[in-house]
Amino acid sequence: MAKAVMTFPADFRWGTATAAYQVEGNNTNSDWWQWEHSGSNILEGHKSGLASDWWQNAEADLDLAAEMGNNAHRLSLEWSRIEPEPSVFDQAALDRYRQILQAMHDRGIEPMVTLHHFSNPIWLAEKGDFNSSLVLDYFKRYTAKVVDALGDLIPKWVTINEPMVYAVLRYLDGVFPAPQRKGYGAALEAVGNMLRCHAAAYHIIKEQYPQAEVGIAKNTAVLEPAPGGMLNGWWARKASWFYNEAIWDTLVDGRFRWPFGHGKVDGLAGSFDFIGINYYTRFYLKFPPRGKLWEEEWGPEAVVSDGNYGEVYPEGLFRVIKSVLKYDKPIYITENGLPDATDRLRPSYLITHLREIWRAISFCYPVMGYYHWSLVDNFEWDRGWTQRFGLIELDPETQERKLRKSGQLYGEMCRSGSLSSEMAEQYAPDLIPALFPGQVPERDS
Ligand code: GCO
């Protein structure tokens, strides 16, 4: 049977993604370390502990990433390691980050570095972090230090990871470290200050490295109206603009819109070289919302990942790519994945989501790369170790790792730069009729 092949561009980034607090271990100067060790904030009382032991041995997983043929990896830096006390910088921490970044380059893995991925230094949280007017100076100082120490090894930067998720989970849902002030006002103030920090960081990086690519990674969900409810459609459109697009619109002209504030922010207009999309799933919205923005409910035929994380909805990736074309910037899928401890869904999830990217590229949509969340099982914030996102399975107690079947599949995709009917046959034969009509799985012919 002839093999059907969906080929990706030769320079496509075949990557994976992680975040410092979730993989490094023993980030004791972080507000998340405090949060974990106070009260019952983490599901099943789990602790990050050694996490995936990256601080001591990231190289173990980078070797596996290289064997998978990954040519890119997105990681974050832990601000609280680099600056454990205000204006006190830890050179040993900067040296270790340099070693990890160099290890990526040595393995042909291009780094994309996130400056802020949810966690704050304790000292910063105590000063009110993104609700304090001082945060802009602190973030500038932190960024300048990182650019000076590591900038030569960092071609791609994400300044802030998922400002809206940070705002919702910290200030509204209360599952992230408690801020000094909760509620919508404090949440929107924090997002506004995150954008001011982003703008400052953008220019600090570009001043020293004009060729660097700098952007934001934004969680982007398909927000649909729940069936019924006259106003659900109107509300879903409003909520989708607020959650998915308002920040990009603000980055275009540098002007805050209601409800984020008003007026122009110096240096904000045009301060992004790419669109970073963190896509996972879709949600249904009802009007009026009861506290949360969306409902964790799905249609009867929905396939839902571990711990009710979300519906597997591959077409949503194509939809969110289309929704950001108007910004006319290169697009990176800076996160995409699912919690799936037994790897029951991840092989078909990889095939169906990469196929949506291939479809987008075949329409000449500028999708430049894909960073699967995640390379290795890691500490899933308030859900602890109950949700496993890794292509590499990890026993956090023994630090024993094992490449999952989906990791073997992703390796075939990365090494070949393509998605083929043979891969579908081997890893997810049920997909053949839909993805490769006319190709009958070998065993059936
Ligand atoms: C993020 C995420 C990651 C999560 C992943 C799975 O928003 O960037 O929170 O840190 O681990 O999205 O939920």
Side-chain angles (χ1 to χ4, degrees):
M1 177 62 65
K3 181 172 79 168
V5 182
M6 300 176 191
T7 304
F8 285 70
D11 62 354
F12 189 74
R13 292 289 179 272
W14 291 94
T16 52
T18 56
Y21 193 84
Q22 297 179 266
V23 293
E24 289 178 355
N26 294 320
N27 261 304
T28 55
N29 291 319
S30 163
D31 59 349
W32 263 93
W33 188 268
Q34 265 187 338
W35 182 244
E36 278 189 62
H37 294 85
S38 55
S40 52
N41 296 316
I42 313 296
L43 215 50
E44 299 185 17
H46 286 172
K47 298 286 182 289
S48 58
L50 258 184
S52 318
D53 199 23
W54 270 42
W55 196 243
Q56 300 181 105
N57 189 15
E59 289 81 352
D61 292 327
L62 294 178
D63 285 339
L64 290 172
E67 281 168 36
M68 269 195 274
N70 294 179
N71 58 22
H73 182 76
R74 175 183 171 225
L75 71 162
S76 79
L77 306 177
E78 184 54 44
W79 186 348
S80 66
R81 278 196 194 280
I82 290 170
E83 191 177 3
E85 290 305 327
S87 79
V88 175
F89 290 98
D90 181 337
Q91 190 55 50
L94 288 164
D95 293 346
R96 176 56 183 148
Y97 277 122
R98 188 163 190 87
Q99 205 177 32
I100 292 172
L101 291 168
Q102 189 58 57
M104 289 180 182
H105 284 283
D106 294 347
R107 291 163 175 79
I109 296 173
E110 180 195 62
M112 176 188 276
V113 169
T114 305
L115 284 168
H116 187 274
H117 194 126
F118 293 160
S119 54
N120 296 305
I122 291 171
W123 63 263
L124 181 71
E126 287 170 350
K127 292 172 182 286
D129 56 81
F130 290 95
N131 295 105
S132 153
S133 56
L134 295 172
V135 70
L136 182 55
D137 288 337
Y138 296 140
F139 200 79
K140 282 179 180 174
R141 184 173 65 193
Y142 162 57
T143 303
K145 189 67 180 178
V146 169
V147 172
D148 185 54
L150 307 171
D152 59 311
L153 295 178
I154 304 173
K156 291 180 171 65
W157 300 74
V158 168
T159 53
I160 308 279
N161 177 72
E162 298 195 343
M164 293 306 288
V165 170
Y166 182 86
V168 169
L169 296 188
R170 188 165 188 221
Y171 293 84
L172 306 183
D173 294 2
V175 293
F176 276 23
Q180 290 183 352
R181 270 185 306 120
K182 284 197 169 181
Y184 279 95
L188 294 167
E189 179 186 57
V191 173
N193 280 329
M194 284 184 144
L195 292 179
R196 289 184 178 89
C197 290
H198 157 78
Y202 179 87
H203 293 290
I204 290 169
I205 296 165
K206 298 291 274 192
E207 203 171 300
Q208 201 160 332
Y209 295 98
Q211 300 314 311
E213 294 175 66
V214 186
I216 282 183
K218 252 190 66 47
N219 186 289
T220 313
V222 173
L223 301 182
E224 307 255 38
M230 285 283 287
L231 292 173
N232 292 357
W234 167 83
W235 172 241
R237 282 188 301 279
K238 285 284 174 207
S240 190
W241 172 78
F242 170 73
Y243 187 79
N244 291 324
E245 299 189 12
I247 283 179
W248 296 126
D249 291 345
T250 304
L251 288 183
V252 168
D253 62 14
R255 180 175 299 285
F256 278 141
R257 287 145 176 78
W258 183 89
F260 294 96
H262 53 271
K264 226 157 154 62
V265 177
D266 286 350
L268 191 58
S271 62
F272 62 123
D273 301 323
F274 63 80
I275 296 265
I277 289 180
N278 293 358
Y279 172 75
Y280 289 91
T281 186
R282 73 170 155 186
F283 293 107
Y284 290 93
L285 280 72
K286 287 176 183 163
F287 188 81
R290 282 182 290 284
K292 298 174 72 114
L293 203 52
W294 50 64
E295 313 290 327
E296 256 91 33
E297 291 165 1
W298 298 280
E301 72 296 338
V303 174
V304 182
S305 54
D306 289 359
N308 258 354
Y309 183 82
E311 175 189 11
V312 175
Y313 179 54
E315 307 85 285
L317 182 50
F318 187 88
R319 289 176 62 179
V320 297
I321 289 168
K322 272 191 78 175
S323 74
V324 296
L325 292 176
K326 61 189 171 187
Y327 300 111
D328 198 21
K329 296 281 183 185
I331 299 165
Y332 289 101
I333 309 303
T334 36
E335 284 180 34
N336 173 245
L338 76 168
D340 180 9
T342 62
D343 219 25
R344 66 194 169 94
L345 297 173
R346 193 176 287 105
S348 56
Y349 186 100
L350 275 170
I351 290 173
T352 52
H353 285 76
L354 265 303
R355 189 254 187 169
E356 291 303 316
I357 293 175
W358 178 82
R359 218 156 58 86
I361 292 171
S362 61
F363 283 96
C364 297
Y365 299 164
V367 185
M368 314 304 286
Y370 174 81
Y371 297 77
H372 186 78
W373 187 276
S374 180
L375 173 58
V376 60
D377 285 347
N378 56 65
F379 186 70
E380 179 52 23
W381 305 113
D382 57 296
R383 278 153 289 162
W385 293 97
T386 63
Q387 292 181 324
R388 304 300 185 93
F389 285 81
L391 293 164
I392 301 168
E393 182 177 3
L394 173 77
D395 177 337
E397 296 306 318
T398 66
Q399 288 297 317
E400 192 188 334
R401 319 158 122 69
K402 182 168 155 287
L403 189 66
R404 288 191 164 104
K405 208 174 91 181
S406 49
Q408 293 165 26
L409 166 61
Y410 193 51
E412 291 189 31
M413 293 174 167
C414 299
R415 289 190 296 270
S416 67
S418 69
L419 161 56
S420 75
S421 54
E422 282 181 337
M423 292 177 199
E425 250 174 64
Q426 186 181 350
Y427 292 92
D430 304 352
L431 293 176
I432 291 280
L435 266 64
F436 301 97
Q439 300 264 6
V440 176
E442 208 60 41
R443 56 193 161 83
D444 294 355
S445 54

